[in-house]
Amino acid sequence: MKKELRFDEGFDNILVFDYDTEYQNGVFISADTLVETGGRPAMSLDGEWNFSPDVFHSLVRSRWFDEVKYNRDQLPIPYDFSFEEWDTVHVPGVWNNQKEEYALYEGAGIYFKEFRYQANPGGRVFLKIGAANYETRIWLNRRYLGRHLGGFTPFCVEVTDCLEESNRLLLMVDNTRSKEQIPSLHYDWFNYGGIHRSVELVETPETVIKNFHIRLSKDRKNQIDYSIAVDAGKDGIDREGMEAVITIDELNVEEHVTCVRSEEGSFIGNGFLCQDEKNLQLWNPEAPYLYKVKVTCQTDVVEDEIGFRRIETDGRTIRLNGEPVFLKGMCVHEERPGHGRAVTEDDMKNTLETAKELGCNFLRLTHYPHNEWMAKLADRLGMMLWEEIPVYWALEFDNPKTFQDASNQLSEMIIRDRNRASVIIWSVGNENPDTDARYHFMKRLTETARSLDQSRLISASCLIDVETCKIRDRLIRELDIVGINEYYGWYLKDFGVLEKILENYEEDKPMIITETGADGVCGMHGSEDEIYTEECQAEIYRKQFEILFSHPFIRGTTPWILFDYASMRRMSSLQKGYNLKGIIGADRKHKKMAYWVVKEVYSKIV
């Protein structure tokens, strides 16, 4: 039997390679542990945290989390950590812009927080982290609680039995790129590190409403469908026959529903009729109406603001609430100078308002799940959204661990946002080669998405076969909408090839041009043939729109991209670490000439 390593047993910890094995194979925090937080009491842990890079994974290798400062004879020994005395960084935040020496750091970082907590007798407490990039491990009061993978989705872990009056919380966050991760080793955005969304302690009763999904039925005009998942905890309540109540005061709804899957604590029914259907106002970008919805089970109550709408396809047409809709959009990254990916609510509101001013009714949130407040604000402001997970470029499509990671990120995103009327499309990937392994990998992702939510459309951004001038991607058969990325006029100069590709399109499905565009340096002017000038970028947009809008099966466009953004792939003397395809500069102030081309074209589309 292998000897367990201890901090005070000489140098054993520095003479092994597999010091991390028990954590790699340990408790995995997944979508199954997510808990709905709307309307619940919560204690924010945002603010200043002690922080240090951990280049050699010493927290785990040397078991710093045990906080051993004495040897077995109780004599003081030297030690290499001093959590309370480390420098501080702000949470939420990325470490890259909080200290100059962390600007390009990739690796593990240790976060430490001391806090006091007054327990609520008879209740439960969950630690919720909005997102941390990429792998996170959690120790509370020296107890290991598990690890989470994925840098963009929320995760929860129960801490009820670990909390004390005075608490010490340790998080190891590691943004090291790995070939088996989602995304993998190579991508076109900056690899920000750290806890970039809020951290809080969420209080619940013993019986917990883990999540719920309230939506308009796809098939019956005035029916509201529902599903509710409940965790009865340790109280031994028999879930069979347990009742939940759905209340929508404005529609005179008070629907009592009964648990039908006792082993899972789920309430899933055939839906209920909205008797006040004449007053049911459907959500749309021009009138983004939201209803206050309350769900009660035992003593637990959760609340949300939910819009009701239908999104569907009819042949090559996209219909919102039965009416044809053209998706006038842009792609956008989650980034703001000075904040990195830790954008604020004001930042997100600015993005949405800028898009609306441009004439957009749609945004593609690339290439990973953005902050949950983005969709909440889009609900209120009236902006339709495409959300996606970072199944991006080359991945280990034949690796079961990679699929588990992708499937979990997709599940966490959908469970988080499936009550958001603004979200109309789930995307399972971007620019992946059509291999057998990739096809089966992504087909399974579409099945995961449909199992969790059937009230939205499924898509992906596919590649073009430039040899045959066709979209030859088997994944298309699994999608509701075909998305394609093409950069004719920029990377490929011949617009005639684009025309052939569109002429060869045979699918009876709507198409969205999910990426197109060109680089343009803010304030750089010249001829339309001079690359990187604003004139060249604008002319490429004009030619693209002229071709694209002559094909009625194209039902949306999301050019790349609304704002310039940081990317370490872009290292020419003009780019200097930025992707310059934005029609607005990274400062969010300078509007390039292409901006006005998009604005004029979108103003003419009803």
PDB file of all heavy atoms in Angstrom, residues 204-223:
ATOM      1  N   THR A 204     -30.558  28.243   2.013  1.00  0.00           N
ATOM      2  CA  THR A 204     -31.799  27.582   1.610  1.00  0.00           C
ATOM      3  C   THR A 204     -32.384  26.833   2.798  1.00  0.00           C
ATOM      4  O   THR A 204     -31.686  26.545   3.766  1.00  0.00           O
ATOM      5  CB  THR A 204     -31.551  26.561   0.483  1.00  0.00           C
ATOM      6  OG1 THR A 204     -30.913  25.399   1.043  1.00  0.00           O
ATOM      7  CG2 THR A 204     -30.696  27.141  -0.631  1.00  0.00           C
ATOM      8  N   PRO A 205     -33.666  26.457   2.726  1.00  0.00           N
ATOM      9  CA  PRO A 205     -34.213  25.507   3.697  1.00  0.00           C
ATOM     10  C   PRO A 205     -33.650  24.110   3.432  1.00  0.00           C
ATOM     11  O   PRO A 205     -32.874  23.906   2.492  1.00  0.00           O
ATOM     12  CB  PRO A 205     -35.721  25.552   3.434  1.00  0.00           C
ATOM     13  CG  PRO A 205     -35.951  26.728   2.554  1.00  0.00           C
ATOM     14  CD  PRO A 205     -34.681  26.958   1.800  1.00  0.00           C
ATOM     15  N   GLU A 206     -34.084  23.148   4.222  1.00  0.00           N
ATOM     16  CA  GLU A 206     -33.604  21.774   4.054  1.00  0.00           C
ATOM     17  C   GLU A 206     -34.041  21.209   2.702  1.00  0.00           C
ATOM     18  O   GLU A 206     -33.261  20.599   1.983  1.00  0.00           O
ATOM     19  CB  GLU A 206     -34.129  20.889   5.194  1.00  0.00           C
ATOM     20  CG  GLU A 206     -33.631  19.448   5.143  1.00  0.00           C
ATOM     21  CD  GLU A 206     -32.136  19.314   5.413  1.00  0.00           C
ATOM     22  OE1 GLU A 206     -31.563  20.208   6.062  1.00  0.00           O
ATOM     23  OE2 GLU A 206     -31.556  18.305   4.978  1.00  0.00           O
ATOM     24  N   THR A 207     -35.297  21.404   2.340  1.00  0.00           N
ATOM     25  CA  THR A 207     -35.779  20.993   1.024  1.00  0.00           C
ATOM     26  C   THR A 207     -35.528  22.138   0.045  1.00  0.00           C
ATOM     27  O   THR A 207     -36.026  23.244   0.233  1.00  0.00           O
ATOM     28  CB  THR A 207     -37.273  20.651   1.059  1.00  0.00           C
ATOM     29  OG1 THR A 207     -37.468  19.517   1.932  1.00  0.00           O
ATOM     30  CG2 THR A 207     -37.800  20.320  -0.332  1.00  0.00           C
ATOM     31  N   VAL A 208     -34.756  21.861  -1.000  1.00  0.00           N
ATOM     32  CA  VAL A 208     -34.254  22.909  -1.890  1.00  0.00           C
ATOM     33  C   VAL A 208     -34.830  22.734  -3.300  1.00  0.00           C
ATOM     34  O   VAL A 208     -34.791  21.638  -3.860  1.00  0.00           O
ATOM     35  CB  VAL A 208     -32.720  22.860  -1.977  1.00  0.00           C
ATOM     36  CG1 VAL A 208     -32.203  23.952  -2.905  1.00  0.00           C
ATOM     37  CG2 VAL A 208     -32.096  22.986  -0.611  1.00  0.00           C
ATOM     38  N   ILE A 209     -35.348  23.821  -3.847  1.00  0.00           N
ATOM     39  CA  ILE A 209     -35.662  23.845  -5.275  1.00  0.00           C
ATOM     40  C   ILE A 209     -34.344  24.076  -6.002  1.00  0.00           C
ATOM     41  O   ILE A 209     -33.796  25.179  -5.998  1.00  0.00           O
ATOM     42  CB  ILE A 209     -36.666  24.964  -5.608  1.00  0.00           C
ATOM     43  CG1 ILE A 209     -37.975  24.742  -4.859  1.00  0.00           C
ATOM     44  CG2 ILE A 209     -36.917  25.037  -7.114  1.00  0.00           C
ATOM     45  CD1 ILE A 209     -38.924  25.926  -4.912  1.00  0.00           C
ATOM     46  N   LYS A 210     -33.801  23.021  -6.599  1.00  0.00           N
ATOM     47  CA  LYS A 210     -32.494  23.137  -7.257  1.00  0.00           C
ATOM     48  C   LYS A 210     -32.586  23.997  -8.512  1.00  0.00           C
ATOM     49  O   LYS A 210     -31.728  24.839  -8.765  1.00  0.00           O
ATOM     50  CB  LYS A 210     -31.962  21.751  -7.620  1.00  0.00           C
ATOM     51  CG  LYS A 210     -31.501  20.939  -6.429  1.00  0.00           C
ATOM     52  CD  LYS A 210     -30.939  19.598  -6.869  1.00  0.00           C
ATOM     53  CE  LYS A 210     -29.704  19.753  -7.727  1.00  0.00           C
ATOM     54  NZ  LYS A 210     -29.134  18.449  -8.149  1.00  0.00           N
ATOM     55  N   ASN A 211     -33.596  23.750  -9.328  1.00  0.00           N
ATOM     56  CA  ASN A 211     -33.788  24.554 -10.532  1.00  0.00           C
ATOM     57  C   ASN A 211     -35.204  24.348 -11.041  1.00  0.00           C
ATOM     58  O   ASN A 211     -35.890  23.400 -10.647  1.00  0.00           O
ATOM     59  CB  ASN A 211     -32.752  24.203 -11.615  1.00  0.00           C
ATOM     60  CG  ASN A 211     -32.811  22.749 -12.043  1.00  0.00           C
ATOM     61  OD1 ASN A 211     -33.728  22.332 -12.736  1.00  0.00           O
ATOM     62  ND2 ASN A 211     -31.815  21.978 -11.620  1.00  0.00           N
ATOM     63  N   PHE A 212     -35.633  25.246 -11.915  1.00  0.00           N
ATOM     64  CA  PHE A 212     -36.941  25.096 -12.547  1.00  0.00           C
ATOM     65  C   PHE A 212     -36.896  25.714 -13.935  1.00  0.00           C
ATOM     66  O   PHE A 212     -36.049  26.557 -14.233  1.00  0.00           O
ATOM     67  CB  PHE A 212     -38.044  25.730 -11.697  1.00  0.00           C
ATOM     68  CG  PHE A 212     -37.945  27.222 -11.557  1.00  0.00           C
ATOM     69  CD1 PHE A 212     -38.638  28.074 -12.407  1.00  0.00           C
ATOM     70  CD2 PHE A 212     -37.153  27.792 -10.555  1.00  0.00           C
ATOM     71  CE1 PHE A 212     -38.547  29.447 -12.276  1.00  0.00           C
ATOM     72  CE2 PHE A 212     -37.062  29.164 -10.412  1.00  0.00           C
ATOM     73  CZ  PHE A 212     -37.762  30.000 -11.286  1.00  0.00           C
ATOM     74  N   HIS A 213     -37.810  25.272 -14.769  1.00  0.00           N
ATOM     75  CA  HIS A 213     -37.879  25.754 -16.150  1.00  0.00           C
ATOM     76  C   HIS A 213     -39.347  26.014 -16.473  1.00  0.00           C
ATOM     77  O   HIS A 213     -40.156  25.092 -16.510  1.00  0.00           O
ATOM     78  CB  HIS A 213     -37.297  24.702 -17.096  1.00  0.00           C
ATOM     79  CG  HIS A 213     -37.223  25.144 -18.526  1.00  0.00           C
ATOM     80  ND1 HIS A 213     -37.108  24.258 -19.578  1.00  0.00           N
ATOM     81  CD2 HIS A 213     -37.259  26.386 -19.091  1.00  0.00           C
ATOM     82  CE1 HIS A 213     -37.071  24.935 -20.714  1.00  0.00           C
ATOM     83  NE2 HIS A 213     -37.161  26.222 -20.444  1.00  0.00           N
ATOM     84  N   ILE A 214     -39.699  27.277 -16.674  1.00  0.00           N
ATOM     85  CA  ILE A 214     -41.064  27.692 -16.992  1.00  0.00           C
ATOM     86  C   ILE A 214     -41.031  28.320 -18.379  1.00  0.00           C
ATOM     87  O   ILE A 214     -40.268  29.256 -18.616  1.00  0.00           O
ATOM     88  CB  ILE A 214     -41.602  28.718 -15.968  1.00  0.00           C
ATOM     89  CG1 ILE A 214     -41.386  28.224 -14.532  1.00  0.00           C
ATOM     90  CG2 ILE A 214     -43.064  29.023 -16.247  1.00  0.00           C
ATOM     91  CD1 ILE A 214     -42.183  27.027 -14.145  1.00  0.00           C
ATOM     92  N   ARG A 215     -41.854  27.808 -19.299  1.00  0.00           N
ATOM     93  CA  ARG A 215     -41.806  28.303 -20.665  1.00  0.00           C
ATOM     94  C   ARG A 215     -43.145  28.084 -21.357  1.00  0.00           C
ATOM     95  O   ARG A 215     -43.972  27.285 -20.912  1.00  0.00           O
ATOM     96  CB  ARG A 215     -40.697  27.640 -21.480  1.00  0.00           C
ATOM     97  CG  ARG A 215     -40.923  26.154 -21.820  1.00  0.00           C
ATOM     98  CD  ARG A 215     -40.518  25.234 -20.698  1.00  0.00           C
ATOM     99  NE  ARG A 215     -40.576  23.833 -21.041  1.00  0.00           N
ATOM    100  CZ  ARG A 215     -40.481  22.835 -20.146  1.00  0.00           C
ATOM    101  NH1 ARG A 215     -40.320  23.101 -18.856  1.00  0.00           N
ATOM    102  NH2 ARG A 215     -40.519  21.589 -20.546  1.00  0.00           N
ATOM    103  N   LEU A 216     -43.341  28.790 -22.450  1.00  0.00           N
ATOM    104  CA  LEU A 216     -44.528  28.632 -23.268  1.00  0.00           C
ATOM    105  C   LEU A 216     -44.433  27.319 -24.037  1.00  0.00           C
ATOM    106  O   LEU A 216     -43.372  26.962 -24.558  1.00  0.00           O
ATOM    107  CB  LEU A 216     -44.632  29.804 -24.243  1.00  0.00           C
ATOM    108  CG  LEU A 216     -46.002  30.166 -24.801  1.00  0.00           C
ATOM    109  CD1 LEU A 216     -46.978  30.501 -23.679  1.00  0.00           C
ATOM    110  CD2 LEU A 216     -45.875  31.333 -25.781  1.00  0.00           C
ATOM    111  N   SER A 217     -45.529  26.591 -24.106  1.00  0.00           N
ATOM    112  CA  SER A 217     -45.548  25.322 -24.822  1.00  0.00           C
ATOM    113  C   SER A 217     -45.260  25.520 -26.303  1.00  0.00           C
ATOM    114  O   SER A 217     -45.673  26.511 -26.905  1.00  0.00           O
ATOM    115  CB  SER A 217     -46.916  24.648 -24.649  1.00  0.00           C
ATOM    116  OG  SER A 217     -47.037  23.526 -25.500  1.00  0.00           O
ATOM    117  N   LYS A 218     -44.567  24.560 -26.904  1.00  0.00           N
ATOM    118  CA  LYS A 218     -44.307  24.623 -28.340  1.00  0.00           C
ATOM    119  C   LYS A 218     -45.560  24.315 -29.151  1.00  0.00           C
ATOM    120  O   LYS A 218     -45.695  24.766 -30.292  1.00  0.00           O
ATOM    121  CB  LYS A 218     -43.213  23.604 -28.712  1.00  0.00           C
ATOM    122  CG  LYS A 218     -41.832  23.955 -28.214  1.00  0.00           C
ATOM    123  CD  LYS A 218     -40.836  22.885 -28.604  1.00  0.00           C
ATOM    124  CE  LYS A 218     -40.701  22.760 -30.117  1.00  0.00           C
ATOM    125  NZ  LYS A 218     -39.683  21.760 -30.514  1.00  0.00           N
ATOM    126  N   ASP A 219     -46.469  23.530 -28.564  1.00  0.00           N
ATOM    127  CA  ASP A 219     -47.577  22.984 -29.344  1.00  0.00           C
ATOM    128  C   ASP A 219     -48.933  23.623 -29.052  1.00  0.00           C
ATOM    129  O   ASP A 219     -49.768  23.730 -29.954  1.00  0.00           O
ATOM    130  CB  ASP A 219     -47.681  21.473 -29.089  1.00  0.00           C
ATOM    131  CG  ASP A 219     -46.370  20.769 -29.387  1.00  0.00           C
ATOM    132  OD1 ASP A 219     -45.768  21.082 -30.427  1.00  0.00           O
ATOM    133  OD2 ASP A 219     -45.952  19.932 -28.580  1.00  0.00           O
ATOM    134  N   ARG A 220     -49.163  24.053 -27.828  1.00  0.00           N
ATOM    135  CA  ARG A 220     -50.476  24.599 -27.474  1.00  0.00           C
ATOM    136  C   ARG A 220     -50.355  26.084 -27.185  1.00  0.00           C
ATOM    137  O   ARG A 220     -49.511  26.514 -26.400  1.00  0.00           O
ATOM    138  CB  ARG A 220     -51.053  23.867 -26.263  1.00  0.00           C
ATOM    139  CG  ARG A 220     -51.264  22.378 -26.515  1.00  0.00           C
ATOM    140  CD  ARG A 220     -52.077  21.739 -25.418  1.00  0.00           C
ATOM    141  NE  ARG A 220     -53.441  22.271 -25.371  1.00  0.00           N
ATOM    142  CZ  ARG A 220     -54.370  21.863 -24.496  1.00  0.00           C
ATOM    143  NH1 ARG A 220     -54.061  20.946 -23.600  1.00  0.00           N
ATOM    144  NH2 ARG A 220     -55.575  22.385 -24.512  1.00  0.00           N
ATOM    145  N   LYS A 221     -51.194  26.863 -27.809  1.00  0.00           N
ATOM    146  CA  LYS A 221     -51.068  28.311 -27.826  1.00  0.00           C
ATOM    147  C   LYS A 221     -51.021  28.928 -26.435  1.00  0.00           C
ATOM    148  O   LYS A 221     -50.208  29.803 -26.162  1.00  0.00           O
ATOM    149  CB  LYS A 221     -52.221  28.905 -28.622  1.00  0.00           C
ATOM    150  CG  LYS A 221     -52.179  30.420 -28.732  1.00  0.00           C
ATOM    151  CD  LYS A 221     -53.330  30.932 -29.570  1.00  0.00           C
ATOM    152  CE  LYS A 221     -53.299  32.456 -29.660  1.00  0.00           C
ATOM    153  NZ  LYS A 221     -54.424  32.989 -30.446  1.00  0.00           N
ATOM    154  N   ASN A 222     -51.892  28.488 -25.539  1.00  0.00           N
ATOM    155  CA  ASN A 222     -51.984  29.146 -24.236  1.00  0.00           C
ATOM    156  C   ASN A 222     -51.530  28.255 -23.094  1.00  0.00           C
ATOM    157  O   ASN A 222     -51.932  28.440 -21.954  1.00  0.00           O
ATOM    158  CB  ASN A 222     -53.428  29.609 -23.988  1.00  0.00           C
ATOM    159  CG  ASN A 222     -54.396  28.434 -23.943  1.00  0.00           C
ATOM    160  OD1 ASN A 222     -54.181  27.434 -24.623  1.00  0.00           O
ATOM    161  ND2 ASN A 222     -55.455  28.552 -23.152  1.00  0.00           N
ATOM    162  N   GLN A 223     -50.671  27.275 -23.395  1.00  0.00           N
ATOM    163  CA  GLN A 223     -50.202  26.367 -22.349  1.00  0.00           C
ATOM    164  C   GLN A 223     -48.807  26.760 -21.878  1.00  0.00           C
ATOM    165  O   GLN A 223     -47.940  27.091 -22.675  1.00  0.00           O
ATOM    166  CB  GLN A 223     -50.184  24.927 -22.862  1.00  0.00           C
ATOM    167  CG  GLN A 223     -49.678  23.927 -21.810  1.00  0.00           C
ATOM    168  CD  GLN A 223     -49.889  22.498 -22.228  1.00  0.00           C
ATOM    169  OE1 GLN A 223     -51.024  22.068 -22.423  1.00  0.00           O
ATOM    170  NE2 GLN A 223     -48.808  21.749 -22.385  1.00  0.00           N
TER     171      GLN A 223
END
